[in-house]
Each structure stands twice: as structure tokens, then as C-alpha cells.
Amino acid sequence: MKRSERLVDMTKYLLARPHTLISLPFFAKRYGSAKSSISEDLSILKHTLASNEDGVLETVAGAAGGVRYIPFLGKKHSEAYLKELADRIEDTERILPGGFVYLSDVLGSPSDMQRIGEMVATHYAYKNITAVMTIETKGIPLAEAVSRFLNVPFVTARKRGKVTEGATVSVNYLSSSSSRVAKMELPTKVLPKGSNVLIIDDFMKGGGTLTGMEGLVREFDSTVGGICVLCETTHADKMVDDYLSLVKIDEIDTEKRVIKTSLGNFLEKTDFNRF
Amino acid sequence: MKRSERLVDMTKYLLARPHTLISLPFFAKRYGSAKSSISEDLSILKHTLASNEDGVLETVAGAAGGVRYIPFLGKKHSEAYLKELADRIEDTERILPGGFVYLSDVLGSPSDMQRIGEMVATHYAYKNITAVMTIETKGIPLAEAVSRFLNVPFVTARKRGKVTEGATVSVNYLSSSSSRVAKMELPTKVLPKGSNVLIIDDFMKGGGTLTGMEGLVREFDSTVGGICVLCETTHADKMVDDYLSLVKIDEIDTEKRVIKTSLGNFLEKTDFNRF
């Protein structure tokens, strides 16, 4: 196989396997090439991704070493995308009764999920996340997208028991949208003890649901490695301190038909230079 | 930019945008290269993907032409994956009361969703699908994965109304698992008239839920372009005739603790040679 062909195949192979160590001998065998050629190929790959701020190729030296593709979306691309997203959401047609915002089109758009997944995975690339958690239903596409770029499993907490999931662990939580105590549960088998969990959700008001998921993580003898939401609203008392948000709903008024958005705290809280 | 660098960037760019026409002038401008060089680059890309049965690069001639990356997983890879998946599912630990099968680990695994998404998108690549539909909750990761490789939006029907989705259209359907008439709904805004919808779900018993989704598609003045499920069980009366399945549960007995799986009809119903 010629260099040009190897580069195409190598790029596809690595991009499909983020956060996965692939050894040089593996590539050498796959293409019937010398390790030195593979080494040069990988240099080209590494350099090209880096100059476009479009991904990082980590090299792990030694006998048990190899390369690892780390998804990375640079500050410029992230900022451009978030501004466009915040603009798209700032649309009076999206105002729903109760101060909710219609986001089904965004959450059902593969390209948006791809962008958001890559962006969030950039922030958490080196935070040793071992699982992503969300609660049904609208957070699921977000959780799947992020888990894909971090190469970890994602788990979905349920608001109602399902007959198709076996034994579960449940916690009670105070839902800020309904101001009542509710229950959420997760199958006992999905989350190993000692997991480091990234909690993802689409919409945060007071943070009651996120607090519930934090409680669920604790029930599994695991830690919360981070919390990230697509949209946060300005709410008097946030029950959660340390979280990331992509877009902020500064103002929403159902009667006056007003909605105002701005960027969430994602950019200011993400260190793009550590790559 | 040198050829080797262009190839890396081009591969990444196209793979992230399946079923999307990208013009040669776009690439020529992006890399500051001559169109003839870009043309040669794309030939290499096309050839390399084809020889590994790992994707198709379509060329559209003419002034409004360009290239389009079509995800394609060949018969050999598909068969190997499906056999391994059927084996993994054939596990007595997965047997749940009521004849259900525990699949949460598979549905929460990004690599499985990636494989399945690419495989299903291979079958439907040229069937003019314009949207993917599923019903909450477990079908959502499947629907998102498939929609990503087809580059179309995905929509999620609800079993219970949500306050966060605005006006909806609903239909009644006979749920084969609970033998009662139930309701499912979809926001009016998510599916344009004249859509050609691919219906996706995780588990099919009698097909009642799928029939409900077919009804929902009709309410939106749209057509059903296909139906595909991850697992089908052997059930006396299937309410749906024309569907694809990846894995078949031939036998499941909660008391005797027996589960037997085999390949679904996906391989026999997919024409891998038309690419």
C-alpha cells in the first residue's frame, strides 16, 4: 500500500476509534509496511490535525505504546458554533408555556449532536471520565454524542421503572420544574463501582434533576467527574455549583413573547491550550 | 499543502459529512491547490475506501457537481459483527421477566451504535430516506446513530405528552407487549409533509408499536421508507410485513433460563453489490 492510501485508511481507522491506543505494529501489519514508514505517516497525520485545530494525535512511547486519537475542537471553531447555536435558539417561535424552550430540532440534528459531542469531549478529554450519564429523554442524544467522542459507555436514568431493565437502584430528588419530590432509577448492572461519571442534560433550571443524578452516582459508589448542560436558564437558586453550559437563556417571557440568549460558561471554563 | 496533508484533512472532512455534496472548487480553495490535484486526491480516496469495503466516494459530474461520501459497511464486516452481537446477546443473564432481553449495555455502547448505524445506513443509502423515527426510549441511541450516517434528522415519538415540545399529533395503537390500546405522539413541527421515514426500534414482538409509528407517519402526510429493528422475537402474528432485523431471539424461556439467538434477516435482505 502506498503512503497516500495508508494515510486515508489510517485517518479513517483512528477517527472511528477515539481515545483508543493503537500500536505501530498493528498498522505495520495492516498495511504490510515498515514501522519507520508508519512512523512517518503518523507524523504527517499528527501535524495536519494539529495545524487545523481539528484533533490531536497522542504518541505513547515504548513497547506497549502507540498512538491515540483525541477529539479536539479548537476555541475558534467552538466559539463560532456556539454563537450560531445561541442565535438559532433566540427565536420567539421556540417559547413554550411554563418558560420552556423548544429544542427538539437541535436535539434531533446529527450535525449539531456531532459538534456538541466533539466540543464537550474536548473539555473532558483528560479528566478520566469512564461513563456518561443522562436522564430520559431529551438528554439521550447529547449523552450518546459525547460518549462517542470520549469512547466511554453512556447510561440513562429513568423517571419511571421499565420492565426491560432488570433490578435497579433509585434515588429521590426535588424536581425544580415541578417542585415535587420525584424518583429516578438506573439498572444495577450498567455502572461499575468506582466509575467517574460525566452528567449531561439538555436543560437546567434550578439543578434539581442534576442533583438527583449526583445522588444516583453516589449510590453506585462512583464519583461525578463533571456536569454539562446544553441550556441553562437564569434561576435564583442553583442547586449545583460546578457545571458547564453551552447556551444561556437570559430571559424568557411567555406572555410578552421575549427570548434572549447568550453564550454559556463553556468557553471561559475550557482550557484549549493544554492540548 | 502537500498531497499527504490534503488527504488526511479531506478524509476527515468528508467522513464527518456523510451524504453531503462537496464541490471540487471548495477543496481547491481550502487547500490552495489546483483542481487537477484535488481530482487526483479524490481518486486515491475513492480507491482506498472501495478496496477495503469501507465506504464509497460518489462523484457527481458537472458544474454543480462534486463528491459525496456514502457510508458503507461491506458484507464480510457486517456478517462478522452480527454473529458476534448475536453471540453476546445469547446469555442467560440477559433474560428478564416477561420474556424481555436486557440490552442496555449494547444500546449504551458507542462502538456498537457506530457499527449498527453504519450497517443500517448501508442498506438504506439509496432509498431516499429524509428522516428517522423511533419511540422513546431505548430506540433513541439507534435512531441517532443511523441518522448520523444517513445525514438526516431523527424524531422521537412519545408515549406520554411532554410540556417541553409544544403542539403534537397523536395516534392510538395496540401495544403487543401490554395488549392494550396506547397513545403515541410527535410534535407537529418536527416532521415536514412528504417526508420518507425510516422507522427504527430496539425490540419487536408483535409489531404493534411499529404499526403505531406507521400510523403516525401517515398523519404527517409522509411515507414509510423502511422499518428496522435491532432484535425481533418469534411471535405468532406479526403486524408488520416488510422489516429488517439484525438479531433474532429464537427462543426465550424465563423459567427454564433458556435464550437462543440467530442472525436476523438483515444480510439476506441487503444488496451489498449495488455499490
Side-chain angles (χ1 to χ4, degrees), chain B residues 196-211:
Chain B
N196 191 33
V197 183
L198 169 59
I199 296 172
I200 297 278
D201 210 357
D202 60 314
F203 208 77
M204 168 163 96
K205 284 193 162 183
T209 307
L210 294 168
T211 308

Side-chain angles (χ1 to χ4, degrees), chain B residues 129-251:
Chain B
I129 301 297
T130 65
V132 173
M133 178 191 284
T134 190
I135 188 164
E136 58 178 352
T137 307
K138 298 206 303 304
I140 297 174
L142 289 167
E144 182 187 7
V146 174
S147 75
R148 181 166 71 250
F149 285 98
L150 287 177
N151 190 34
V152 298
F154 68 95
V155 303
T156 308
R158 307 295 186 169
K159 292 172 185 166
R160 286 171 195 79
K162 296 272 174 181
V163 295
T164 48
E165 291 195 332
T168 62
V169 169
S170 73
V171 295
N172 291 326
Y173 69 104
L174 182 62
S175 165
S176 26
S177 35
S178 56
S179 300
R180 59 173 186 87
V181 177
K183 195 168 92 162
M184 66 166 74
E185 57 185 72
L186 200 63
T188 53
K189 293 195 264 195
V190 288
L191 198 62
K193 273 188 182 182
S195 295
N196 191 33
V197 183
L198 169 59
I199 296 172
I200 297 278
D201 210 357
D202 60 314
F203 208 77
M204 168 163 96
K205 284 193 162 183
T209 307
L210 294 168
T211 308
M213 284 196 268
E214 285 184 308
L216 207 45
V217 170
R218 280 194 301 271
E219 288 300 316
F220 279 80
D221 290 327
S222 294
T223 46
V224 174
I227 297 177
C228 183
V229 297
L230 170 57
C231 281
E232 66 165 311
T233 57
T234 46
H235 198 270
D237 305 299
K238 294 270 189 223
M239 292 170 72
V240 176
D241 298 315
D242 198 11
Y243 63 89
L244 279 195
S245 67
L246 304 191
V247 174
K248 206 156 144 199
I249 314 286
D250 297 306
E251 195 189 334

Side-chain angles (χ1 to χ4, degrees), chain A residues 135 159 173-177 184 199 201 203 206-215 239-240:
Chain A
I135 187 164
K159 293 174 187 165
Y173 69 104
L174 183 61
S175 165
S176 26
S177 37
M184 66 166 74
I199 296 173
D201 210 357
F203 208 77
T209 306
L210 293 168
T211 307
M213 285 197 266
E214 284 183 310
M239 291 168 72
V240 175

